[in-house]
Amino acid sequence: MARRSVLFSPGDQPDLMRKAPGTGADVVVFDLEDAVSPDRKSHARSAVNDVLTDESFDPECEVCVRVTPPSVAATEDLDTVLDGTPRIDSVMLPKASGADDVAEIASMLADFDVSLPVVPIIESAAGVLNAEEIAASAATTAVAFGAEDLAADIGATRTEAGTEVLYARERVVLAASAAGVDAIDTIHADIEDTEGLREATDFAIELGYDGKMAIHPAQVPVINDAFTPTDDQVDWAERVMDAKAAAEAEGRGVFTVDGEMIDAPLVKQAERILERARVAETQ
């Protein structure tokens, strides 16, 4: 399942939620946490359920709901959202600080006779330090990195360069890779800064992230395009795989492409490029 672009949509705005799948996002997240003011929570829960249980709502993308933390009102969220037969694929857990938080939300889902994968957001000092156990939790299907909340939690000043959260950003992607789950990068807060978003997404790809969160529909095509390999990259990857097959047929373990010695890491890179190209073609 591709998770290049993960678009948030306010849970109290049904029109926006219905339009969200049409943006081309791989994942749409109906948000019951930060995007909804406290006095609108009850309305938002009902609005999310209304959309999810509407028979005409059947998007091809992954549909996720971000609940409030279990210590706040996750039970109330789930009680309303899961009523009936909602079209929901996963649950996003904000402010995950350890494996116990993932287990708790999974247990809550079980109480409603529902088994859904969980996407924890790692956005606190405790969460970063416990990233490995969060990513390795049985219910976890992907982990997301939240730079804005992390900076607030540790008292860091957000900068354009992002060096204040770089260690955490790298630790999250390493934890995800070790656990074999997707890593989703933090948001780009300036929705009008298309060039900055592209640069941030390119850097996330260099770090090893599988996708990036978006807070506006206009960000989705920029993110998707960044995660889509160029024709030159695909051509190189195909030549690597062809050369690998020829070498194996001849009993050779070493081979070159364009005068470059190709080893296992480069083969893996070629495979990743071709997989991303395949995903882009099917979206």
Side-chain angles (χ1 to χ4, degrees):
M1 182 181 295
R3 294 189 177 99
R4 299 168 302 174
S5 49
V6 179
L7 175 65
F8 286 83
S9 189
D12 60 347
Q13 302 292 325
D15 288 344
L16 295 182
M17 287 189 285
R18 293 180 188 279
K19 293 177 181 177
T23 63
D26 293 332
V27 184
V28 294
V29 181
F30 296 164
D31 192 1
L32 292 173
E33 197 211 12
D34 289 346
V36 180
S37 62
D39 63 331
R40 297 272 295 173
K41 296 290 187 183
S42 179
H43 169 75
R45 293 177 188 124
S46 297
V48 169
N49 179 259
D50 286 345
V51 173
L52 295 179
T53 56
D54 186 340
E55 292 183 358
S56 67
F57 181 75
D58 188 24
E60 296 181 0
C61 63
E62 178 179 350
V63 179
C64 180
V65 174
R66 176 161 74 166
V67 297
T68 48
S71 61
V72 180
T75 299
E76 290 89 334
D77 293 344
L78 295 175
D79 185 45
T80 301
V81 168
L82 297 177
D83 186 43
T85 310
R87 166 65 168 82
I88 180 173
D89 301 304
S90 57
V91 169
M92 183 171 280
L93 171 66
K95 299 175 177 60
S97 60
D100 288 348
D101 291 337
V102 181
E104 183 174 7
I105 197 70
S107 177
M108 286 182 175
L109 289 166
D111 288 341
F112 289 97
D113 294 323
V114 171
S115 177
L116 290 171
V118 178
V119 181
I121 308 180
I122 298 175
E123 50 188 342
S124 67
V128 171
L129 294 178
N130 294 320
E132 293 91 338
E133 66 176 49
I134 293 171
S137 297
T140 297
T141 187
V143 291
F145 172 55
E148 308 304 321
D149 281 273
L150 173 64
D153 185 55
I154 64 177
T157 300
R158 290 291 277 129
T159 65
E160 186 175 348
T163 52
E164 70 282 356
V165 295
L166 181 56
Y167 165 75
R169 201 176 181 188
E170 292 174 328
R171 181 160 181 155
V172 169
V173 77
L174 286 170
S177 180
V181 299
D182 287 340
I184 311 301
D185 191 39
T186 190
I187 66 165
H188 187 73
D190 188 346
I191 61 176
E192 297 182 354
D193 181 20
T194 301
E195 182 178 349
L197 172 61
R198 179 62 193 237
E199 292 176 353
T201 307
D202 286 341
F203 184 58
I205 293 170
E206 292 174 2
L207 291 178
Y209 276 89
D210 301 288
K212 190 170 182 64
M213 294 186 284
I215 54 174
H216 190 277
Q219 294 181 323
V220 170
V222 180
I223 293 171
N224 283 350
D225 183 67
F227 276 96
T228 301
T230 65
D231 291 342
D232 287 344
Q233 289 173 322
V234 172
D235 181 62
W236 173 82
E238 289 176 339
R239 284 186 284 118
V240 167
M241 299 311 295
D242 288 344
K244 176 178 180 290
E248 290 177 344
E250 297 172 3
R252 293 184 290 111
V254 177
F255 60 96
T256 62
V257 172
D258 301 335
E260 178 183 23
M261 187 71 70
I262 303 297
D263 56 8
L266 287 177
V267 170
K268 192 167 185 177
Q269 181 181 342
E271 291 172 339
R272 191 180 183 102
I273 288 172
L274 293 176
E275 174 60 18
R276 281 183 172 164
R278 183 194 65 77
V279 166
E281 289 178 356
T282 59
Q283 295 303 305

